Amino acid sequence: MTNNKSDLIIAIFLLCFSGIMINDASNIRDLGFEGMKADAWPRVVLWMLVVMSSVMLGKSYFQFKTEDHKDNSKFKINFLKFKNALLCFGMFIFFLSTLDYLGMLLGGIVFVFGLLTLLGGFSIKLGVKHLLISVLSIGFMWMVFTFGLRVMLPEGEILRVW
């Protein structure tokens, strides 16, 4: 059973965050290319988040209002429940902070390998498998974006491609 007070707080936070980001999406510069505007996809994703957060808010409000839970008397968040999500966010912040130095290719490999190792456990056999998965998946993604789509990805200080 979930804590309805925390669901209410999270839903309100997500609605506020979505409103701020939808407002900020109007500041995305239009580069003048034909087709969809640059702010189209961010707005679609944010409006889907608004709909899902509204459903979550209504559902948790009515459960909180109609049911008398012992959980409603105290509010506490068990952060161990969110260990995997916090590890993912921490690794992503590390990835973004080292992106200028490592670049997309090396940083992406380190990011995927780190996540697989932190979340999936570590042994020699798993380490080799994680390394193989991270090198192949990020290498393929990097080749598609760099050579196929001609997107300039951050190259970093260590490995200069051009």
Side-chain angles (χ1 to χ4, degrees):
M1 179 142 320
T2 61
N3 189 349
N4 293 326
K5 281 186 181 178
S6 62
D7 285 352
L8 282 168
I9 291 170
I10 290 170
I12 291 170
F13 170 77
L14 285 173
L15 285 171
C16 293
F17 173 77
S18 300
I20 291 169
M21 295 309 286
I22 287 171
N23 185 33
D24 199 41
S26 63
N27 295 333
I28 296 176
R29 190 168 41 118
D30 188 18
L31 300 175
F33 296 122
E34 290 189 26
M36 250 188 326
K37 288 189 166 196
D39 65 344
W41 277 113
R43 285 183 186 265
V44 167
V45 170
L46 287 168
W47 278 110
M48 288 182 353
L49 182 62
V50 165
V51 168
M52 289 186 284
S53 299
S54 300
V55 168
M56 180 182 174
L57 179 67
K59 181 180 170 188
S60 60
Y61 176 75
F62 285 118
Q63 281 183 351
F64 181 75
K65 204 74 165 133
T66 57
E67 298 177 10
D68 188 25
H69 292 295
K70 293 178 183 171
D71 291 341
N72 290 337
S73 60
K74 309 180 230 180
F75 175 70
K76 81 176 179 178
I77 296 177
N78 184 8
F79 286 107
L80 289 177
K81 247 176 27 177
F82 306 112
K83 182 184 83 160
N84 289 346
L86 293 173
L87 281 173
C88 290
F89 282 124
M91 281 294 295
F92 190 67
I93 289 169
F94 175 74
F95 167 71
L96 290 178
S97 64
T98 60
L99 192 59
D100 289 337
Y101 184 69
L102 293 178
M104 185 68 194
L105 181 61
L106 293 178
I109 290 171
V110 169
F111 173 69
V112 172
F113 178 77
L115 272 184
L116 288 172
T117 303
L118 284 173
L119 298 177
F122 183 74
S123 69
I124 299 298
K125 185 179 176 183
L126 283 175
V128 171
K129 190 184 293 187
H130 294 166
L131 185 63
L132 188 65
I133 290 171
S134 62
V135 168
L136 289 177
S137 63
I138 297 299
F140 179 72
M141 183 271 316
W142 181 80
M143 283 189 330
V144 166
F145 277 90
T146 301
F147 300 119
L149 299 174
R150 305 251 185 240
V151 175
M152 297 296 292
L153 297 173
E155 58 187 13
E157 297 293 323
I158 296 175
L159 183 64
R160 294 263 179 203
V161 176
W162 306 115

